[in-house]
Amino acid sequence: MFAFKNKKHKAFSLTELLIVLAIIGILILLALPKFMPLISKTKSTEAQIQLKHVYTLEQNYFYVHSTYTTDVTELGFEHAKLVSEGGTANYKIEIVEAQGSRFRIVATAIVDFDGDGAFNVWEIDQDMNLKETVKD
């Protein structure tokens, strides 16, 4: 029934596999610093998309109420759980200013993506001027 029982098969030893894994780990550690800016840039896409969404909600609110609001719940925006709370969102979205015909919405990273101590911040205003105010 088991034809392989008495035959010897060529295979890698556990030591050989561990050495290969160690080499791969070292190569990853050497390459990781080069990819950190790319990772940070990719994560900032989340902030840009969320800010544009809240911008659209603010504009819709303005058309109905002739003023802007600082309360994101009035806009119907439901913030995803932050990664610090066991969720997936890397940015906290806040409306920091809403007066008359002006508003400013800020997305602040809660994670230091590249480990340099600076937290990424993006903002958008009523004219849809999207800009990065603090680079990570």
Side-chain angles (χ1 to χ4, degrees):
M1 183 166 183
F2 292 100
F4 300 113
K5 193 173 186 180
N6 294 328
K7 290 185 178 181
K8 280 197 163 202
H9 297 284
K10 292 184 179 182
F12 295 107
S13 70
L14 182 60
T15 307
E16 291 170 328
L17 290 174
L18 289 175
I19 290 172
V20 168
L21 287 174
I23 291 170
I24 290 172
I26 291 169
L27 291 174
I28 289 173
L29 286 175
L30 291 173
L32 194 59
K34 282 189 162 192
F35 291 113
M36 289 310 287
L38 183 61
I39 292 169
S40 179
K41 184 177 180 182
T42 303
K43 298 270 187 184
S44 72
T45 305
E46 174 191 338
Q48 296 171 40
I49 290 169
Q50 291 294 340
L51 286 173
K52 288 178 183 177
H53 177 63
V54 178
Y55 167 85
T56 302
L57 293 174
E58 254 318 348
Q59 291 297 334
N60 292 340
Y61 185 89
F62 183 80
Y63 295 141
V64 173
H65 301 282
S66 299
T67 188
Y68 293 114
T69 181
T70 56
D71 187 6
V72 291
T73 56
E74 283 184 23
L75 298 175
F77 178 74
E78 192 171 319
H79 203 296
K81 273 184 139 180
L82 299 171
V83 291
S84 61
E85 301 167 351
T88 58
N90 292 302
Y91 286 85
K92 184 176 181 181
I93 309 295
E94 297 174 297
I95 302 171
V96 294
E97 177 186 354
Q99 300 173 355
S101 61
R102 296 181 10 201
F103 70 83
R104 189 167 55 100
I105 308 165
V106 175
T108 307
I110 59 160
V111 178
D112 182 11
F113 301 119
D114 58 5
D116 65 354
F119 290 83
N120 194 226
V121 179
W122 284 82
E123 69 178 44
I124 194 168
D125 63 12
Q126 72 282 347
D127 297 324
M128 203 174 186
N129 295 323
L130 181 65
K131 62 182 174 182
E132 185 177 27
T133 56
V134 177
K135 294 185 185 241
D136 186 15

